[in-house]
Amino acid sequence: MLNKIILIGRLVREPELRYTPSGVAVARFTIAVDRPFANRQGEREADFIDIVVWQKQAEVCTQYLGKGRLVAVEGRLQIRSYDDSQGVRRKAAEVVAEQVRFLDRPREGQAAAGAGSNDFALAESGYSEVNFSEDDIPF
């Protein structure tokens, strides 16, 4: 069996970083991925896909990524169930990232605090190992 997803898209908002009770970093963000065709009115459409990143890679993504940044995400699809605030059972689909690659540089004035040209290369240097347990999910 195979569960592998590769996406290229732009962040629609800043990543949100949290820590599990055991101290494991987990970040969430959403990317917009263009559809390869236009609708009947000739307008381009996009899918908005939730991404979950773990451990050191979560911290690096939170530090160096922001709204509008272009990324490639490689990971697996995860479907999870939860009860909403009204007690209704819901399902959520998200991609658990194994690797996030930064495909562009921050625009002028968009760089994260302390991020210089050398920091971009450091952030690219790879935190591809992601080990976690389903009990570590804080949301």
Side-chain angles (χ1 to χ4, degrees), residues 61-124:
C61 286
T62 302
Q63 183 177 2
Y64 292 98
L65 291 178
K67 182 178 179 178
R69 293 289 306 274
L70 185 65
V71 296
V73 176
E74 186 176 334
R76 64 179 174 83
L77 179 64
Q78 173 176 280
I79 309 294
R80 60 182 175 86
S81 298
Y82 66 96
D83 294 326
D84 69 10
S85 58
Q86 285 79 36
V88 177
R89 193 76 170 157
R90 304 269 184 195
K91 286 189 176 186
E94 56 201 8
V95 172
V96 178
E98 295 167 3
Q99 189 170 61
V100 177
R101 293 180 186 252
F102 305 164
L103 299 181
D104 65 357
R105 294 187 183 271
R107 292 183 213 129
E108 190 77 24
Q110 205 182 36
S117 59
N118 292 338
D119 293 327
F120 182 79
L122 175 65
E124 284 288 298

